[in-house]
Amino acid sequence: MRIDAVTLFPGMIDVPLSESIVGRARQEGFLELGFANPRDFTEDRHRTVDDKPYGGGTGMLMMAEPVYKALKSVRKKGSCVILLTPKGRRFDQKLALELAKKKHLVFICGHYEGIDERVTPLADLELSIGDYVLTGGEPAAVAVIDAVTRLIPGVLKKSDATVNETFTEGLLEAPHYTRPAVWRGKKVPQELVSGNHKLIAEWRRAQAEALTGKARPDLAPAKKKIRGAAKK
Ligand code: 6GU
C-alpha cells in the first residue's frame, strides 16, 4: 500500500510513524509513505500558504492553490483522498478495515483554523478521529495510518492477531496477563492457567461482554434471544 500526506509539517507524521510496528512495515515495504508540502508549491518570495478569512474572524486559513497543487503532485487515478477535519465522519475500526483494502490513500491535513472550503470537493471522504479539536490534521493522520497499516496482511507477525481483537466483534477485549503467575500478591485468573481451551474461551467471552456492558454500553450488541431464556 502507498499513502501520501499533504501537510505543512511532514515531520509530525514521519517521525512517529518511523518507530515500532509501522516503522518496520515501512522498512519492509508493506507501506510506502510519502509527503507533499503545500509550501513547496508556492510561487511568491515568502512561500505563503495561509491568509486571513473573508468576513473576518480569528486565525489564519490554508489557501486553496498550494494545497491543490500538492495534492495534484501525488494523486493518481484510483487514489482515495481523505480530508482530515473535526467536521468529518468519525473514524472507527470498520472504516480502518475498508481503507486497508485500498492501494493508495492521500490524506490532506488542515492546519491553523482550517482550509479554504473550496478544496473540500477534492476529497472522497472527510474524516475526524473524535469530538475534540487538534491543532491540525497531522496527529489524526498518524492515528488513522497506524490503524490501517497494522491491518495490511503480513504486517503483524501472527496472522490472526487482528481477528479476535477489540472492536472487530463490537466488544472490548478480555483482560490479558503475562508472567509471573503471582505479581505483588495478585494472581492471574485461574481459568487462564487451567490449560482448558474451551474454559479459557468461555471465560474470555464472558469477561468481554461484562467489560463492554460496563465501560462502553454504547458498543454492547443487542442481547440475542437465547432459547429457553424466556422463563424467569
Ligand atoms: Cl481530523 N483534525 C483536527 N484538527 N482536529 C480533530 C480531528 C481532525 N479529529 C478530531 N479532532
Side-chain angles (χ1 to χ4, degrees):
M1 166 178 264
R2 182 173 174 93
I3 298 178
D4 286 282
V6 173
T7 170
L8 294 172
F9 303 98
M12 287 182 74
I13 299 172
D14 189 24
V15 174
L17 295 179
S18 296
E19 299 273 352
S20 185
I21 292 166
V22 179
R24 196 183 63 218
R26 290 171 71 183
Q27 280 185 344
E28 292 177 354
F30 290 106
L31 171 66
E32 249 186 295
L33 185 54
F35 300 95
N37 191 333
R39 204 173 286 283
D40 296 332
F41 296 86
T42 52
E43 312 274 318
D44 66 309
R45 203 160 61 83
H46 300 289
R47 309 219 296 158
T48 310
V49 290
D50 61 336
D51 206 339
K52 294 175 296 201
Y54 277 111
T58 52
M60 299 288 271
L61 285 175
M62 286 170 72
M63 296 160 66
E65 184 66 8
V67 172
Y68 172 72
K69 283 182 175 155
L71 174 63
K72 227 178 119 191
S73 77
V74 292
R75 164 180 231 169
K76 293 169 284 196
K77 197 157 61 87
S79 301
C80 179
V81 178
I82 298 168
L83 179 65
L84 292 164
T85 162
K87 298 173 189 169
R89 166 179 166 188
R90 178 88 65 88
F91 183 60
D92 62 15
Q93 190 65 17
K94 192 165 149 265
L95 192 50
L97 286 156
E98 287 302 310
L99 296 182
K101 295 177 193 158
K102 309 272 187 192
K103 276 206 172 71
H104 185 212
L105 302 177
V106 181
F107 291 95
I108 303 175
C109 303
H111 219 89
Y112 313 120
E113 288 303 305
I115 310 180
D116 188 307
E117 186 69 22
R118 290 168 291 186
V119 306
T120 59
L122 300 172
D124 300 300
L125 182 65
E126 292 178 52
L127 217 54
S128 161
I129 62 166
D131 292 341
Y132 40 81
V133 182
L134 302 167
T135 56
E138 288 82 2
V142 170
V144 175
I145 294 167
D146 183 288
V148 169
T149 302
R150 63 188 290 286
L151 297 174
I152 299 171
V155 167
L156 296 186
K157 286 288 167 265
K158 231 177 121 211
S159 62
D160 62 350
T162 62
V163 172
N164 253 326
E165 69 187 357
T166 294
F167 300 124
T168 303
E169 273 195 285
L171 288 176
L172 303 177
E173 264 183 287
H176 302 297
Y177 301 84
T178 187
R179 289 186 292 179
V182 182
W183 175 73
R184 296 188 177 240
K186 290 176 189 261
K187 283 187 199 152
V188 171
Q190 47 125 51
E191 288 86 348
L192 294 179
V193 294
S194 67
N196 180 337
H197 295 295
K198 186 162 171 279
L199 181 68
I200 292 169
E202 284 167 358
W203 180 87
R204 284 187 170 147
R205 181 75 196 185
Q207 290 284 316
E209 285 176 5
L211 176 64
T212 306
K214 206 167 147 216
R216 290 293 304 276
D218 57 307
L219 287 179
K223 283 214 174 62
K224 290 200 189 76
K225 282 216 182 88
I226 299 161
R227 233 179 313 153
K231 59 182 180 208
K232 290 223 175 76

